[in-house]
Amino acid sequence: MLLYLTKQLCKRSGKKRFFSSVADINPNEANDFFDIPTPTTIPFIGSRLSLWQALSTQRLHEFVDNKHKKLGPIYRDKLGPISGIFVADSEAFKTIFSQEGRYPKHIIPLPWIIFNNEFKYSRGLFFMDGEEWLPCRTKMNKLLLKGDLKWTEACCNIVIENFMNQLQDGEIENLDEKIYSTFLEVIVSVSMGSKSYLKHRKNITPLVQHLAGNVIKVFDKTMKVEKWNVNFAFKWGIPQWKSFEMSMRKSLNFTYSLVDELMKICDDESLLVKMREEGINNDSIKAIVADMVLAAADTTAYTMQWMLYLVAKNKEVQEKIRTELSIPNSSYAKNVLRETLRLYPVAAFITRFMPQDCILSGYKIPKETPISLSIYTTGRQEKYFKDASKFVPERWDREQDHQVTIAASLPFGLGVRSCIGKKLAEYELQKTLTEIVKKFRVELCNKTDIKMRMRMVAVPSERLRFKFEKIC
Ligand code: HEM
């Protein structure tokens, strides 16, 4: 898989070797770790205060972006519990993914670690490491990233058709909530299979709506407790911790019971049955699927909103999507999605601990140093994307040479630990976009400038409102 991706990226970046930086730097010439630029702030208070400010205004991406502007593509910082380096350099990204080892490790939010340890919930892929993670991940790759995925597409199509039936002329009330529930319902329908979903959807839809409310709270409460010293918050049981703990328990308990029920009614073409056939035991199935439910909704729902926002502001893009619908194998909708994720990567940071010492951007990095890849920053840099602030889906066109640096926009990550839901997400997002644009002209009703805010994932600074006009 990694070899395939590497070849693809070589082809597109026009370079001979994608991971060129690995061999090109002589370790003796590299600079010392402590020479990496670091912000000058009042010791301790300065960095905590600015972090607190960045977190409470949900502007962590801008905070980090400004630091890169001042200090360059790599800098060292202590961000509360996370003390490590921040990297905004496509060559360094390649080095990281090529040297991340057999069992890549990422940072897990501290409240979630404490919660899992304290209450002994077994969790899915995102939380697993090493020997536990690899066999499960290999089996899940086979089911969700390789081969024929028509069975997942069949599930998406039914749920999206249902969503389309809720749209009409005019401003759609609570569109964001409808989008959220729809994408949550997709992962539920994939878990149970399209036939079973069709049979039981009347009962499933209200459960999904209830779950959506809980899942939203988990992300919100995690953000709120992270503004505090999390160990302190947990130890003293402050209200922010209690509220986070409650939302997490509710969501997980509800999701586990839902998966239990789905296991009884799923059909042969379902994720649950396919996981069983791969030899994954029932407890692990429950934990993996429950986590996917949590990972699937926010990421896809907000990407859908950003995509609608951008096409609503760019009428010519809408028109082109409509025109290209008649062209077989047109990749235009896919390019719209790629361009949306370049400007608004819902996962604005990807993290890693390297298993051995490495050299990044000319500096020696000791093994196990927490590394944060600033995906938001690289996606908007002029040196990687011409007219970087403009929304130009055509720049991703394979036929034309618009000089995109693929490794600077990695919304799903790269390599063996990249997003397991990538193909599912790409299909459902493109399908929903084309169905909407085929039937409606989309207009943005918000009058103020919309900014990106970090609520674990990248969300709009205010509720997006759209007006739909039916195309006769
Ligand atoms: C636009 C949609 C999505 C985006 C941008 C996205 C992005 C990401 C990113 C950046 C990672 C971390 C990769 C890394 O550490 O290298 C990730 C991991 C993950 N994603 Fe997604 N994701 C999306 C949708 C989904 C969906 C629909 C699912 C569920 C089917 C999903 C399930 C997961 C899981 C389980 C992991 C952890 C994988 C592991 O650690 O092995 N994601 N995603």
Side-chain angles (χ1 to χ4, degrees):
M1 178 69 179
L2 186 60
L3 191 68
Y4 168 77
L5 283 166
T6 309
K7 281 185 187 157
Q8 291 299 310
L9 283 154
C10 287
K11 246 194 258 168
R12 305 233 32 210
S13 60
K15 296 236 169 76
K16 271 200 182 142
R17 279 176 301 130
F18 179 65
F19 294 127
S20 58
S21 55
V22 177
D24 290 350
I25 294 173
N26 176 354
N28 297 327
E29 286 167 17
N31 298 304
D32 197 67
F33 178 73
F34 290 101
D35 292 336
I36 298 176
T38 188
T40 42
T41 49
I42 311 161
F44 187 72
I45 293 175
S47 75
R48 279 210 71 82
L49 201 75
S50 42
L51 168 69
W52 191 84
Q53 229 174 2
L55 286 177
S56 38
T57 54
Q58 306 184 338
R59 287 184 169 118
L60 191 59
H61 58 298
E62 286 173 9
F63 176 83
V64 171
D65 191 47
N66 284 333
K67 292 254 161 82
H68 279 302
K69 282 184 181 127
K70 278 188 203 133
L71 301 167
I74 182 164
Y75 74 88
R76 228 165 16 97
D77 201 1
K78 186 162 169 49
L79 275 183
I82 306 170
S83 171
I85 57 160
F86 289 78
V87 185
D89 172 358
S90 70
E91 287 299 314
F93 289 178
K94 295 180 203 171
T95 308
I96 292 167
F97 290 118
S98 68
Q99 298 187 12
E100 62 182 3
R102 196 166 151 75
Y103 311 112
K105 253 169 72 183
H106 50 212
I107 298 173
I108 296 170
L110 189 55
W112 296 3
I113 296 181
I114 298 178
F115 178 88
N116 292 346
N117 289 343
E118 190 61 23
F119 302 108
K120 309 286 174 238
Y121 278 84
S122 52
R123 304 293 303 266
L125 287 178
F126 184 76
F127 297 89
M128 292 177 183
D129 271 323
E131 296 285 356
E132 187 197 11
W133 170 79
L134 186 61
C136 286
R137 175 69 204 221
T138 309
K139 289 171 183 166
M140 295 306 289
N141 283 350
K142 201 169 141 193
L143 301 180
L144 290 176
L145 290 176
K146 293 178 183 161
D148 186 357
L149 291 174
K150 292 250 167 358
W151 63 279
T152 59
E153 293 171 11
C155 300
C156 290
N157 293 348
I158 305 168
V159 180
I160 292 167
E161 192 186 328
N162 196 30
F163 168 73
M164 289 305 297
N165 290 337
Q166 298 173 54
L167 305 185
Q168 71 231 348
D169 258 341
E171 190 176 330
I172 316 287
E173 225 177 285
N174 303 332
L175 182 66
D176 52 349
E177 287 170 18
K178 289 188 171 71
I179 291 176
Y180 201 95
S181 298
T182 299
F183 288 125
L184 200 54
E185 199 145 336
V186 166
I187 187 72
V188 170
S189 69
V190 167
S191 304
M192 65 197 290
S194 59
K195 283 196 202 100
S196 169
Y197 174 70
L198 268 176
K199 195 164 152 200
H200 297 282
R201 70 173 158 186
K202 272 208 179 90
N203 300 328
I204 293 293
T205 304
L207 295 179
V208 169
Q209 278 162 359
H210 179 78
L211 179 60
N214 282 332
V215 177
I216 290 172
K217 275 193 198 139
V218 166
F219 286 92
D220 187 43
K221 305 288 177 191
T222 306
M223 278 291 290
K224 288 193 171 133
V225 78
E226 274 193 325
K227 284 181 210 159
W228 293 79
N229 176 319
V230 181
N231 284 310
F232 169 88
F234 163 66
K235 196 169 167 207
W236 295 102
I238 66 170
Q240 287 79 355
W241 173 270
K242 291 243 180 273
S243 168
F244 156 75
E245 184 188 308
M246 173 87 83
S247 67
M248 198 66 157
R249 272 174 190 280
K250 266 193 182 171
S251 271
L252 285 178
N253 291 344
F254 191 84
T255 316
Y256 287 154
S257 341
L258 179 65
V259 178
D260 270 336
E261 289 308 307
L262 298 182
M263 277 178 170
K264 293 179 201 152
I265 55 171
C266 56
D267 67 47
D268 289 349
E269 280 285 271
S270 64
L271 184 61
L272 292 173
V273 166
K274 286 174 192 284
M275 287 171 82
R276 241 183 248 152
E277 285 168 357
E278 283 300 318
I280 306 177
N281 68 46
N282 272 4
D283 283 346
S284 300
I285 292 180
K286 231 159 69 169
I288 292 172
V289 173
D291 264 3
M292 291 207 319
V293 167
L294 295 184
D298 262 52
T299 46
T300 41
Y302 285 110
T303 301
M304 189 70 228
Q305 289 199 46
W306 286 121
M307 211 159 42
L308 281 179
Y309 167 72
L310 288 166
V311 299
K313 286 199 352 168
N314 294 272
K315 295 276 158 47
E316 69 294 345
V317 173
Q318 273 187 56
E319 209 43 63
K320 193 160 172 189
I321 298 173
R322 267 176 225 120
T323 321
E324 298 253 339
L325 281 173
S326 57
I327 301 172
N329 303 324
S330 162
S331 57
Y332 194 63
K334 185 169 188 180
N335 294 342
V336 172
L337 173 60
R338 296 198 79 165
E339 184 68 346
T340 304
L341 283 166
R342 177 182 72 82
L343 288 167
Y344 297 99
V346 278
F349 302 98
I350 294 177
T351 57
R352 284 291 183 272
F353 297 96
M354 298 304 275
Q356 73 274 313
D357 297 353
C358 65
I359 296 166
L360 296 179
S361 306
Y363 292 94
K364 291 178 195 159
I365 312 295
K367 69 175 184 183
E368 297 300 329
T369 303
I371 300 173
S372 181
L373 287 73
S374 309
I375 304 290
Y376 168 83
T377 293
T378 49
R380 290 173 177 241
Q381 279 180 341
E382 205 59 33
K383 66 174 171 176
Y384 298 130
F385 302 96
K386 193 168 167 273
D387 295 326
S389 60
K390 290 198 180 134
F391 177 62
V392 186
E394 288 76 9
R395 73 169 86 239
W396 295 100
D397 206 335
R398 276 171 181 272
E399 309 306 315
Q400 299 179 38
D401 186 17
H402 288 291
Q403 294 175 4
V404 287
T405 307
I406 310 242
S409 175
L410 297 175
F412 294 99
L414 184 69
V416 291
R417 194 137 203 183
S418 61
C419 178
I420 190 78
K422 178 179 185 222
K423 286 211 166 161
L424 177 64
E426 284 178 344
Y427 181 83
E428 58 187 325
L429 287 161
Q430 286 168 52
K431 175 81 183 165
T432 311
L433 176 72
T434 47
E435 288 300 314
I436 292 177
V437 170
K438 198 157 60 176
K439 297 201 174 76
F440 297 98
R441 281 190 197 88
V442 185
E443 206 175 298
L444 187 70
C445 303
N446 303 64
K447 297 288 173 239
T448 49
D449 195 19
I450 304 295
K451 299 269 189 241
M452 182 172 136
R453 294 284 173 261
M454 288 305 293
R455 210 203 60 200
M456 300 289 286
V457 299
V459 305
S461 51
E462 64 180 70
R463 189 176 218 173
L464 294 180
R465 291 166 34 235
F466 300 99
K467 207 165 102 190
F468 285 51
E469 186 197 334
K470 229 182 200 135
I471 298 170
C472 303

